[in-house]
Amino acid sequence: MLNTEIKDDWEESNSQLWLQNKRSIRDGLVFEFGAKDHERKIDDFTVLGANPLSLISFHNVFMRQCRNAFVHGSYYPALVSACTLGERMLNRLILHLRGYYKSTPEYKKVYRKESFDNWDVAIETLISWSVLLPEAADLFRKLAGVRNQSIHFNPETDNTAKEGALEAIQTLQQIIKKQFSSFGGQPWYISGTKGAMYVAKEHEETPFVKEVVLPNCVLVGSQHRLEHGHSGWVVHDDHPYPEKEITDEEFVALLSR
């Protein structure tokens, strides 16, 4: 909303509403981050772009802390935290999923370790297991490059921490959007639904979906209702369904009735 340009040909009422919304957002940012250097803080907040929500709660908590550090002007801490959060994501995936891949050659490289600081090994292992989507894998490689250039001693980092932090955070946000989002074009979601995402039957036993996606889902039928309350979304589903299994396509058709 802060980046939206108010056009001269907009209706006056619409323009005034947008101006009011922008002022409200700016006032909220000043209240949250402090009045000192508030214009720079608002600019830094805006340049980060939208913060995508991840299925995994610790991603959201640490990502918010990382973004806040950047907005406060703590660019090197923001850079380091973005890189370490990326490493934490890779470690969590390896540790949670490796039990499903004991018969693979890659398992021999990772079954004894409790952490992995070699990103190449972690990324290539998750690719070979078909855990990481291709775009997410490329983004992890990009983040690895930022990490190697910035975390290991490099005199240039003294003067490029802000640029490095921005690149790291935006890359990490894209990783969340491509791999861990609850809304998107990921292959494990049923296509053609509106307002909510549903896991496709054929992917329910996929290790990543089984261990990462499904624990953050609710089992529903086609006649469920969603209500938004003070603590978030609440699912209601007391419809008497017949005792039969339906296809994903039949489920989508019933949703639209």
Side-chain angles (χ1 to χ4, degrees):
M1 292 184 71
L2 289 173
N3 283 328
T4 300
E5 181 183 353
I6 299 174
K7 304 293 185 179
D8 293 336
D9 59 351
W10 287 12
E11 293 184 6
E12 180 64 21
S13 59
N14 194 21
S15 297
Q16 290 301 318
L17 180 60
W18 272 92
L19 286 171
Q20 181 181 343
N21 288 336
K22 285 193 172 190
R23 282 194 295 267
S24 178
I25 293 172
R26 289 174 62 88
D27 290 346
L29 292 174
V30 172
F31 178 81
E32 181 177 358
F33 295 108
K36 184 178 179 181
D37 298 328
H38 67 274
E39 288 295 343
R40 193 269 307 155
K41 292 175 181 176
I42 292 172
D43 288 343
D44 282 354
F45 177 86
T46 305
V47 77
L48 286 175
N51 184 20
L53 287 177
S54 171
L55 288 164
I56 303 177
S57 59
F58 86 83
H59 292 178
N60 298 319
V61 173
F62 292 166
M63 189 78 247
R64 184 166 58 251
Q65 293 174 2
C66 180
R67 285 169 58 95
N68 287 351
F70 185 87
V71 175
H72 277 294
S74 300
Y75 301 125
Y76 187 70
L79 169 60
V80 174
S81 63
C83 294
T84 54
L85 178 53
E87 187 167 308
R88 189 172 185 85
M89 289 177 175
L90 290 172
N91 273 273
R92 279 291 188 93
L93 289 176
I94 293 286
L95 296 178
H96 276 70
L97 302 178
R98 61 185 175 185
Y100 290 93
Y101 301 97
K102 292 182 178 180
S103 61
T104 65
E106 293 77 16
Y107 180 76
K108 298 177 182 179
K109 303 176 184 178
V110 300
Y111 80 100
R112 287 186 176 181
K113 294 186 177 181
E114 294 304 317
S115 64
F116 306 89
D117 55 10
N118 187 326
W119 285 41
D120 290 336
V121 171
I123 292 170
E124 294 306 317
T125 297
L126 293 170
I127 290 173
S128 69
W129 291 345
S130 298
V131 172
L132 288 181
L133 297 175
E135 287 181 295
D138 290 341
L139 289 164
F140 267 116
R141 291 192 186 100
K142 180 180 178 181
L143 185 59
V146 178
R147 177 221 186 226
N148 293 337
Q149 185 176 8
S150 305
I151 303 304
H152 300 309
F153 180 72
N154 180 354
E156 293 182 4
T157 304
D158 297 348
N159 302 311
T160 61
K162 180 176 181 178
E163 291 77 8
L166 179 60
E167 183 178 6
I169 293 172
Q170 290 180 332
T171 302
L172 198 57
Q173 290 175 169
Q174 285 298 308
I175 289 172
I176 291 174
K177 185 177 179 181
K178 298 297 183 182
Q179 183 77 32
F180 299 99
S181 176
S182 56
F183 284 91
Q186 289 81 2
W188 43 83
Y189 294 131
I190 300 174
S191 61
T193 61
K194 297 180 180 179
M197 303 300 291
Y198 305 89
V199 176
K201 180 68 175 178
E202 65 177 302
H203 287 284
E204 288 182 1
E205 294 300 319
T206 302
F208 177 82
V209 174
K210 189 173 183 179
E211 295 296 330
V212 176
V213 181
L214 288 182
N216 295 287
C217 294
V218 177
L219 182 64
V220 297
S222 60
Q223 304 304 308
H224 69 281
R225 294 178 293 109
L226 291 175
E227 292 182 1
H228 195 270
H230 295 295
S231 57
W233 289 101
V234 178
V235 179
H236 300 279
D237 193 8
D238 53 3
H239 186 78
Y241 298 102
E243 289 290 336
K244 69 173 185 176
E245 185 170 323
I246 62 175
T247 65
D248 292 344
E249 292 74 19
E250 290 173 321
F251 179 78
V252 173
L254 290 170
L255 280 174
S256 60
R257 289 183 180 179

